[in-house]
Amino acid sequence: MTHALIVIDMQNDFCPGGALAVAGGDVIVPGINALMREFDIVVLTQDWHPLGHSSFASSHPGKAPFETTDMPYGTQVLWPDHCVQGSHGAAFHPGLETDPAMLIQRKGMNPDLDSYSAFFENDQSTPTGLEGWLRTRGIDSLTLVGLATDFCVAWSALDAARLGFGVTVRRDLCRAIDLDGSLAVAETQMTHAGVTLA
Ligand code: VGL
Ligand code: ZN
């Protein structure tokens, strides 16, 4: 079994003080740094949106952050502007050790399409290429940590399980947005998909 660690979206905008702050998002940084030392293969993901991205409420007149809208690919939650390419908010948390990462997988760059998962954009069909990257290295088992448990971590875990990877989510090294019970829904979905919640 060849195992990789995927660190999801440990960026300033998802940490306290950021545009889409997740409570306690920064608290998990030391634990993630320590866990990275136990893995030979570490991948970081980085939410990386162009200005005016369609997932931003500001791109939809009359809409406020955390409302939803119908996109061609389904219902999309609208977020505050966050993780704009090249901005301070899009940078990794300054305490995160990025040197151990072999790959930084950026996502959410298509202006018309959001991308929570590290594997597919939110249309559930446009691949990021990460699956091939992992498989060509013989990796069949993944541990996921990072932000946010109920969005980018959960969508990545569900896609990975569907693709046939063994998946463990270290809940102690994740934090959730928890919008209208989204954390409980995500945990139920992950359990049903065979993801180990550790
Ligand atoms: C995320 C909302 C919007 C995440 C990214 O990393 O969970 N959530 N973009
Ligand atoms: Zn985003």
Side-chain angles (χ1 to χ4, degrees):
M1 207 169 67
T2 309
H3 216 125
L5 176 65
I6 317 282
V7 179
I8 305 286
D9 297 4
M10 286 302 300
Q11 296 164 258
N12 288 322
D13 269 343
F14 297 123
C15 291
L20 180 40
V22 180
D26 53 343
V27 169
I28 59 180
V29 168
I32 291 175
N33 286 340
L35 189 61
M36 284 195 279
R37 289 179 212 116
E38 295 176 22
F39 283 80
D40 291 331
I41 300 177
V42 176
V43 175
L44 308 180
T45 70
Q46 191 171 28
D47 211 35
W48 196 249
H49 299 306
L51 272 174
H53 190 256
S54 59
S55 74
F56 298 170
S58 62
S59 303
H60 302 263
K63 289 284 191 184
F66 308 108
E67 292 180 2
T68 59
T69 193
D70 293 322
M71 298 290 235
Y73 55 84
T75 303
Q76 169 74 46
V77 180
L78 295 173
W79 304 107
D81 290 22
H82 66 278
C83 296
V84 171
Q85 295 169 8
S87 67
H88 172 76
F92 290 111
H93 183 284
L96 187 76
E97 286 170 18
T98 57
D99 289 351
M102 271 182 124
L103 176 73
I104 296 173
Q105 175 70 61
R106 287 177 169 164
K107 61 190 180 63
M109 299 181 71
N110 182 333
D112 302 318
L113 186 55
D114 206 2
S115 190
Y116 294 149
S117 165
F119 293 94
F120 293 96
E121 305 205 44
N122 284 11
D123 62 0
Q124 307 263 277
S125 62
T126 308
T128 61
L130 181 60
E131 179 194 3
W133 192 92
L134 295 168
R135 286 206 199 283
T136 51
R137 281 167 175 76
I139 293 156
D140 52 17
S141 143
L142 306 175
T143 293
L144 270 62
V145 298
L147 304 171
T149 325
D150 42 346
F151 287 92
C152 291
V153 174
W155 284 53
S156 299
L158 292 169
D159 280 345
R162 184 164 54 83
L163 293 169
F165 292 97
V167 187
T168 298
V169 170
R170 280 281 302 263
R171 286 156 102 187
D172 58 322
L173 296 177
C174 295
R175 289 294 183 274
I177 296 174
D178 204 10
L179 205 59
D180 300 323
S182 55
L183 177 59
V185 171
E187 290 194 333
T188 302
Q189 287 176 331
M190 287 192 280
T191 302
H192 285 160
V195 173
T196 301
L197 298 179

